[in-house]
mmCIF file with all atom_site columns, all heavy atoms in Angstrom:
data_model
loop_
_atom_site.group_PDB
_atom_site.id
_atom_site.type_symbol
_atom_site.label_atom_id
_atom_site.label_alt_id
_atom_site.label_comp_id
_atom_site.label_asym_id
_atom_site.label_entity_id
_atom_site.label_seq_id
_atom_site.pdbx_PDB_ins_code
_atom_site.Cartn_x
_atom_site.Cartn_y
_atom_site.Cartn_z
_atom_site.occupancy
_atom_site.B_iso_or_equiv
_atom_site.pdbx_formal_charge
_atom_site.auth_seq_id
_atom_site.auth_comp_id
_atom_site.auth_asym_id
_atom_site.auth_atom_id
_atom_site.pdbx_PDB_model_num
ATOM   1  N  N   . GLY A 1 163 ? 23.931 0.086  -10.130 1.00 98.00 ? 188 GLY A N   1
ATOM   2  C  CA  . GLY A 1 163 ? 23.861 0.979  -8.967  1.00 98.00 ? 188 GLY A CA  1
ATOM   3  C  C   . GLY A 1 163 ? 22.498 1.023  -8.296  1.00 98.00 ? 188 GLY A C   1
ATOM   4  O  O   . GLY A 1 163 ? 22.390 1.385  -7.125  1.00 98.00 ? 188 GLY A O   1
ATOM   5  N  N   . ALA A 1 164 ? 21.451 0.653  -9.016  1.00 98.00 ? 189 ALA A N   1
ATOM   6  C  CA  . ALA A 1 164 ? 20.101 0.771  -8.458  1.00 98.00 ? 189 ALA A CA  1
ATOM   7  C  C   . ALA A 1 164 ? 19.600 -0.516 -7.797  1.00 98.00 ? 189 ALA A C   1
ATOM   8  O  O   . ALA A 1 164 ? 18.495 -0.536 -7.254  1.00 98.00 ? 189 ALA A O   1
ATOM   9  C  CB  . ALA A 1 164 ? 19.125 1.176  -9.562  1.00 98.00 ? 189 ALA A CB  1
ATOM   10 N  N   . ILE A 1 165 ? 20.412 -1.572 -7.829  1.00 98.00 ? 190 ILE A N   1
ATOM   11 C  CA  . ILE A 1 165 ? 19.921 -2.854 -7.309  1.00 98.00 ? 190 ILE A CA  1
ATOM   12 C  C   . ILE A 1 165 ? 20.988 -3.644 -6.546  1.00 98.00 ? 190 ILE A C   1
ATOM   13 O  O   . ILE A 1 165 ? 20.659 -4.498 -5.695  1.00 98.00 ? 190 ILE A O   1
ATOM   14 C  CB  . ILE A 1 165 ? 19.328 -3.704 -8.474  1.00 98.00 ? 190 ILE A CB  1
ATOM   15 C  CG1 . ILE A 1 165 ? 18.478 -4.859 -7.970  1.00 98.00 ? 190 ILE A CG1 1
ATOM   16 C  CG2 . ILE A 1 165 ? 20.408 -4.190 -9.442  1.00 98.00 ? 190 ILE A CG2 1
ATOM   17 C  CD1 . ILE A 1 165 ? 17.609 -5.521 -9.038  1.00 98.00 ? 190 ILE A CD1 1
ATOM   18 N  N   . SER A 1 231 ? 15.388 6.162  -2.654  1.00 95.00 ? 256 SER A N   1
ATOM   19 C  CA  . SER A 1 231 ? 15.956 6.786  -3.846  1.00 95.00 ? 256 SER A CA  1
ATOM   20 C  C   . SER A 1 231 ? 15.551 8.253  -3.816  1.00 95.00 ? 256 SER A C   1
ATOM   21 O  O   . SER A 1 231 ? 14.382 8.564  -3.587  1.00 95.00 ? 256 SER A O   1
ATOM   22 C  CB  . SER A 1 231 ? 15.401 6.146  -5.124  1.00 95.00 ? 256 SER A CB  1
ATOM   23 O  OG  . SER A 1 231 ? 15.977 4.881  -5.327  1.00 95.00 ? 256 SER A OG  1
ATOM   24 N  N   . ASP A 1 275 ? 15.213 -1.952 -3.164  1.00 98.00 ? 300 ASP A N   1
ATOM   25 C  CA  . ASP A 1 275 ? 16.148 -1.119 -3.921  1.00 98.00 ? 300 ASP A CA  1
ATOM   26 C  C   . ASP A 1 275 ? 15.622 -0.845 -5.341  1.00 98.00 ? 300 ASP A C   1
ATOM   27 O  O   . ASP A 1 275 ? 15.525 0.308  -5.792  1.00 98.00 ? 300 ASP A O   1
ATOM   28 C  CB  . ASP A 1 275 ? 17.503 -1.856 -3.989  1.00 98.00 ? 300 ASP A CB  1
ATOM   29 C  CG  . ASP A 1 275 ? 18.662 -0.940 -4.345  1.00 98.00 ? 300 ASP A CG  1
ATOM   30 O  OD1 . ASP A 1 275 ? 18.433 0.249  -4.584  1.00 98.00 ? 300 ASP A OD1 1
ATOM   31 O  OD2 . ASP A 1 275 ? 19.807 -1.434 -4.401  1.00 98.00 ? 300 ASP A OD2 1
ATOM   32 N  N   . ALA A 1 276 ? 15.248 -1.921 -6.032  1.00 98.00 ? 301 ALA A N   1
ATOM   33 C  CA  . ALA A 1 276 ? 14.791 -1.770 -7.419  1.00 98.00 ? 301 ALA A CA  1
ATOM   34 C  C   . ALA A 1 276 ? 13.488 -0.974 -7.484  1.00 98.00 ? 301 ALA A C   1
ATOM   35 O  O   . ALA A 1 276 ? 13.324 -0.097 -8.340  1.00 98.00 ? 301 ALA A O   1
ATOM   36 C  CB  . ALA A 1 276 ? 14.604 -3.145 -8.061  1.00 98.00 ? 301 ALA A CB  1
ATOM   37 N  N   . ALA A 1 278 ? 12.318 1.272  -5.373  1.00 98.00 ? 303 ALA A N   1
ATOM   38 C  CA  . ALA A 1 278 ? 12.491 2.696  -5.040  1.00 98.00 ? 303 ALA A CA  1
ATOM   39 C  C   . ALA A 1 278 ? 12.985 3.460  -6.270  1.00 98.00 ? 303 ALA A C   1
ATOM   40 O  O   . ALA A 1 278 ? 12.467 4.542  -6.586  1.00 98.00 ? 303 ALA A O   1
ATOM   41 C  CB  . ALA A 1 278 ? 13.473 2.851  -3.875  1.00 98.00 ? 303 ALA A CB  1
ATOM   42 N  N   . THR A 1 279 ? 13.942 2.890  -6.984  1.00 98.00 ? 304 THR A N   1
ATOM   43 C  CA  . THR A 1 279 ? 14.454 3.570  -8.181  1.00 98.00 ? 304 THR A CA  1
ATOM   44 C  C   . THR A 1 279 ? 13.376 3.666  -9.260  1.00 98.00 ? 304 THR A C   1
ATOM   45 O  O   . THR A 1 279 ? 13.167 4.725  -9.860  1.00 98.00 ? 304 THR A O   1
ATOM   46 C  CB  . THR A 1 279 ? 15.681 2.800  -8.739  1.00 98.00 ? 304 THR A CB  1
ATOM   47 O  OG1 . THR A 1 279 ? 16.611 2.600  -7.683  1.00 98.00 ? 304 THR A OG1 1
ATOM   48 C  CG2 . THR A 1 279 ? 16.341 3.561  -9.873  1.00 98.00 ? 304 THR A CG2 1
HETATM 49 MG MG1 . MG  B 2 .   ? 17.603 1.429  -6.067  1.00 81.99 ? 429 MG  B MG1 1
#
Side-chain angles (χ1 to χ4, degrees):
I190 195 166
S256 285
D300 198 358
T304 308

